[in-house]
């Protein structure tokens, strides 16, 4: 008989190697992994962030993903008033960015699952950190009107779109506010974020992109963002207006702490959803210069 701890160890090794989820697009940092070579099978960016010093978690610095920008001219294009698409996947090979899309499926890991996929003890294949779609915590994109990633900080990085019940399937669309102003000539820096709701280590995800707003007509800058706060069932308590990304469970730089249980009786876990006052939509916060 296999000892249960041996089995658990093997499972977590598999998890570490291939099973977490990131947002893939040619405008991402770390597309080729954390080396200068082309790697059609890269997955350095999918590592979760947990108890890291600031420079470790910020923009996925701990494994140098922030030092591998996309190819010259490759940007995540953000159409003002429209929407853009990324692929949520466990590995570059499971996206259309590799092998002409040979290994993709509707799901993040190239496999096939039932539409009503539900595992009460948590889905670990792929490692979606959820029991089913309705429990998926939500993901977001934020933008900083800085062209140099070294000038991006929590005070100038603003959440502008949220998609509830993700990650789930591979292809996800995010909606863009109509009044997003244009980026500087060198583009903007964007970041994708996800804080899973339990189902394993309570970690978080942040990954950088080079991005630019297309079709902009507004010139008003985005407002300075404030930290989100827990406000489930009490909308008056939510942070009003522009919000920062969620920074949680790191050694330093956290912007939220929670205690106790949520209304469903589960340990509170901050996420890009209504428990922190994030709506499933595009945001527009203009006025106060960032
Ligand atoms: C999703 O998972 C939650 C938590 O286990 C459960 O209460 C709910 O019934 C599930 N929903 C579906 C549609 O399977």
């Amino acid at each position: 008989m296999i000892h249960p701890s041996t089995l658990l160890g093997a499972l977590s090794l598999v998890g570490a190697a291939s099973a977490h989820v990131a947002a893939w697009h040619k405008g991402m940092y770390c597309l080729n992994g954390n080396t200068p070579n082309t790697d059609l099978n890269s997955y350095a960016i999918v590592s979760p962030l947990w108890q890291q010093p600031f420079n470790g978690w910020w923009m996925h610095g701990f494994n140098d993903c922030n030092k591998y920008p996309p190819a010259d001219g490759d940007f995540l294009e953000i159409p003002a008033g429209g929407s853009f698409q990324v692929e949520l996947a466990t590995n570059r090979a499971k996206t259309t960015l590799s092998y002409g899309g040979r290994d993709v499926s509707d799901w993040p890991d190239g496999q096939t699952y039932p539409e009503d996929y539900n595992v009460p003890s948590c889905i670990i294949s792929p490692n979606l950190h959820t029991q089913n779609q309705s429990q998926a915590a939500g993901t977001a994109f934020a933008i900083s009107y800085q062209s140099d990633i070294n000038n991006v900080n929590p005070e100038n990085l603003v959440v502008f779109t949220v998609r509830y019940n993700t990650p789930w399937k591979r292809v996800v669309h995010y909606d863009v506010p109509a009044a997003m102003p244009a980026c500087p000539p060198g583009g903007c820096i964007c970041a994708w974020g996800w804080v899973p709701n339990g189902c394993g280590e309570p970690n978080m995800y942040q990954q950088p992109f080079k991005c630019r707003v297309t079709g902009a007509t507004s010139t008003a800058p985005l407002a300075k963002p404030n930290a989100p706060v827990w406000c489930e069932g009490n909308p008056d308590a939510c942070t009003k207006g522009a919000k920062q990304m969620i920074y949680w469970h790191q050694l330093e730089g956290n912007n939220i702490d929670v205690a106790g249980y949520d209304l469903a009786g589960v340990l509170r876990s901050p996420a890009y959803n209504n428990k922190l006052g994030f709506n499933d939509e595009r945001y527009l916060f203009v006025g106060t210069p960032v």
Side-chain angles (χ1 to χ4, degrees), residues 116 118 120 131-132 134-135:
D116 58 353
N118 178 45
Q131 294 87 4
N132 53 52
S134 75
Q135 300 295 304

Side-chain angles (χ1 to χ4, degrees), residues 45-290:
I45 196 65
V46 307
S47 321
L49 306 168
W50 165 250
Q51 298 297 346
Q52 291 280 340
F54 184 83
N55 289 333
W57 63 263
W58 182 252
M59 298 294 163
H60 223 277
F62 86 91
N63 66 353
D64 289 341
C65 275
N66 57 343
K67 297 187 179 66
Y68 291 92
D72 279 352
D74 281 350
F75 289 85
L76 175 64
E77 300 224 318
I78 305 199
S83 67
F84 63 96
Q85 174 185 310
V86 297
E87 296 173 68
L88 303 187
T90 55
N91 181 305
R92 178 174 170 179
K94 308 302 181 185
T95 75
T96 58
L97 296 166
S98 292
Y99 314 120
R102 181 192 71 193
D103 294 344
V104 308
S105 73
D106 287 348
W107 296 84
D109 64 353
Q111 305 297 308
T112 301
Y113 303 97
E115 282 299 311
D116 58 353
Y117 195 19
N118 178 45
V119 180
S121 59
C122 296
I123 292 170
I124 56 164
S125 177
N127 200 351
L128 294 169
H129 283 274
T130 189
Q131 294 87 4
N132 53 52
Q133 185 174 14
S134 75
Q135 300 295 304
T139 59
F141 269 89
I143 190 167
S144 173
Y145 280 75
Q146 299 290 331
S147 302
D148 180 345
I149 193 170
N150 297 307
N151 293 337
V152 182
N153 60 47
E155 281 71 49
N156 62 26
L157 182 64
V158 184
V159 173
F160 69 93
T161 186
V162 166
R163 186 56 74 215
Y164 281 11
N165 302 115
T166 60
W168 186 244
K169 293 223 181 147
R170 176 176 56 88
V171 175
V172 179
H173 292 90
Y174 295 87
D175 298 329
V176 183
M180 294 273 285
C183 293
C188 289
I189 298 292
C190 285
W192 180 78
W194 170 35
V195 183
N197 183 5
C199 279
E201 184 181 77
N203 49 41
M204 70 166 202
Y205 295 75
Q206 187 195 48
Q207 70 171 101
F209 293 75
K210 285 202 179 202
C211 61
R212 63 183 169 206
V213 176
T214 59
T217 53
S218 173
T219 54
L222 270 62
K224 189 170 156 53
N226 292 308
V229 297
W230 187 270
C231 60
E232 186 187 23
N234 183 12
D236 288 347
C238 298
T239 299
K240 302 293 180 292
K243 291 192 239 324
Q244 297 178 358
M245 297 184 82
I246 301 165
Y247 307 130
W248 191 52
H249 275 168
Q250 307 306 315
L251 290 179
E252 53 189 5
N254 297 318
N255 67 357
I256 191 165
D257 193 18
V258 294
Y261 295 84
D262 66 17
L263 295 180
V266 179
L267 277 176
R268 285 181 178 181
S269 180
Y272 295 100
N273 60 36
N274 60 354
K275 294 172 187 174
L276 299 192
F278 286 106
N279 297 321
D280 182 31
E281 59 184 27
R282 63 195 87 194
Y283 283 85
L284 173 59
F285 299 116
V286 295
T288 318
V290 173

